Amino acid sequence: MQSVADSLRREGKTIGFVPTMGFLHEAHLSLMRIARPKCDALVVSIFVNPTQFGPNEDFDKYPRDFAQDEIFCQQENVDIIFCPDKNCIYDEPYYTYINVEKFSETMCGLSRPGHFRGVATVVCKLFNIVKPHLAVFGEKDYQQAVIIKQMTKDLNFDIEILTGPIVREPDGLAMSSRNKYLSPEERQKALVLHKSLQLAERLVKEGKNDSDFIHSEIQNLIEQAEGAVIDYIAIVDSKTLEPLKEVQDNTLIALAVKIGQTRLIDNTVIQKAE
Ligand code: AMP
């Protein structure tokens, strides 16, 4: 991959990059469609990264379907699918990790210790291997995108980081490879994440800005869904991820909720001008 990237660069071609863990769905394709017109060569990586999974998380059962992923990539005119072996990315002995401080120490970072260290490390390595000019990440993983932007800046990667909006199923559930784990009943209950964010948006539009109030309204709605267990509800500045007492323009409201065994995340950025 590195020598292919080098020769593309020698030919003056721009490289666009969409990192994924595979089991591709419409949201991944939306990121490819953002990158495609902005580059000469589009690279999609498929790598289920072991270092971003905790010991009791779903690394072993994370869904994989390379044949279908390949079809999707062909349909989106992807030039290169980079699908490295685990041992090639983490050649033993392996000792180097990237920690983006502050942003990794809140929200998902609290309930998934080490998760963002794994994410930042693998993205850093993939950047060094794929050598892209631009890379696209999804806003569903909002905190992840903030962390990647900070790492790119801090480590002087000469890469433009773009983000794509959350892609949802017709009923509002944010697309995720993990939705596959949900039983039909859980799938219905999972709608409460998006519904609670819509409720928050509505309340803010009505002029109710107090974060504690919005938090408790979200909490009440989610708790009505039997079997839904809140991991966190964060009402924070979308740039600094610091908690806000009042919801303002560009406030990020982000949730993590367990539906049965499946941990789901969703978020919205409040636009007051709308
Ligand atoms: P994953 O394969 O889950 O690691 O995701 C690969 C990329 O797709 C990441 O940048 C995610 O943020 C993005 N992504 C996943 N689901 C969605 C979604 N529903 N909407 C927007 N982006 C998404």
Side-chain angles (χ1 to χ4, degrees):
M1 182 68 239
Q2 280 176 319
S3 58
V4 170
D6 283 340
S7 56
L8 285 166
R9 279 179 167 260
R10 265 198 307 275
E11 291 162 22
K13 303 242 167 82
T14 54
I15 303 172
F17 180 39
V18 178
T20 81
M21 297 206 298
F23 205 68
L24 302 178
H25 48 67
E26 194 59 34
H28 297 112
L29 309 190
S30 75
L31 305 181
M32 297 175 200
R33 288 173 202 148
I34 291 172
R36 183 62 281 184
K38 294 185 189 301
C39 61
D40 298 310
L42 176 54
V43 181
V44 170
S45 64
I46 296 177
F47 181 62
V48 184
N49 172 37
T51 62
Q52 70 188 68
F53 288 79
N56 299 316
E57 293 186 352
D58 55 343
F59 175 73
D60 288 329
K61 68 168 185 153
Y62 195 84
R64 293 159 168 92
D65 186 351
F66 184 74
Q68 180 57 52
D69 290 349
E70 199 175 17
I71 293 169
F72 280 138
C73 288
Q74 278 163 0
Q75 285 168 356
E76 299 304 323
N77 290 317
V78 171
D79 295 292
I80 298 168
I81 305 174
F82 178 52
C83 196
D85 188 76
K86 189 172 93 184
N87 301 327
C88 140
I89 296 294
Y90 296 107
D91 189 22
E92 292 293 340
Y94 188 87
Y95 297 125
T96 307
Y97 293 90
I98 304 293
N99 183 28
V100 180
E101 296 177 7
K102 181 179 166 84
F103 294 145
S104 301
E105 291 154 15
T106 177
M107 298 161 60
C108 287
L110 293 176
S111 37
R112 303 186 70 188
H115 169 65
F116 289 121
R117 172 182 182 260
V119 169
T121 300
V122 80
V123 172
C124 176
K125 289 166 69 65
L126 290 169
F127 281 178
N128 283 325
I129 297 168
V130 175
K131 310 186 187 196
H133 295 82
L134 63 98
V136 192
F137 294 82
E139 287 164 17
K140 186 179 79 95
D141 300 87
Y142 199 97
Q143 185 176 11
Q144 169 174 285
V146 169
I147 287 168
I148 298 303
K149 283 181 193 164
Q150 187 68 38
M151 178 190 79
T152 303
K153 179 183 143 309
D154 288 350
L155 296 185
N156 307 90
F157 278 113
D158 193 7
I159 301 172
E160 185 185 1
I161 305 297
L162 303 173
T163 61
I166 299 178
V167 179
R168 299 180 179 282
E169 301 287 355
D171 59 9
L173 180 66
M175 287 190 184
S176 165
S177 308
R178 290 194 167 96
N179 292 349
K180 182 187 156 60
Y181 301 146
L182 301 168
S183 69
E185 299 77 42
E186 288 173 338
R187 172 75 183 63
Q188 267 314 104
K189 285 179 187 159
L191 297 178
V192 78
L193 277 86
H194 184 231
K195 282 190 184 139
S196 71
L197 293 170
Q198 286 180 311
L199 169 67
E201 285 167 356
R202 217 162 41 238
L203 292 168
V204 173
K205 276 213 173 78
E206 288 166 10
K208 305 199 174 76
N209 291 336
D210 183 65
S211 294
D212 289 342
F213 174 72
I214 301 287
H215 186 290
S216 67
E217 290 295 303
I218 292 174
Q219 186 174 344
N220 291 342
L221 188 65
I222 295 176
E223 283 174 355
Q224 280 170 32
E226 202 193 317
V229 178
I230 297 169
D231 176 359
Y232 68 79
I233 300 166
I235 301 180
V236 298
D237 183 288
S238 61
K239 292 213 161 56
T240 65
L241 304 186
E242 283 167 10
L244 292 171
K245 284 196 168 12
E246 294 232 312
V247 179
Q248 305 157 0
D249 202 23
N250 288 321
T251 294
L252 170 69
I253 305 184
L255 313 170
V257 178
K258 258 187 126 176
I259 307 284
Q261 291 304 303
T262 308
R263 185 177 176 281
L264 300 175
I265 57 171
D266 203 344
N267 71 76
T268 184
V269 178
I270 297 292
Q271 302 299 336
K272 284 221 162 187
E274 273 175 17

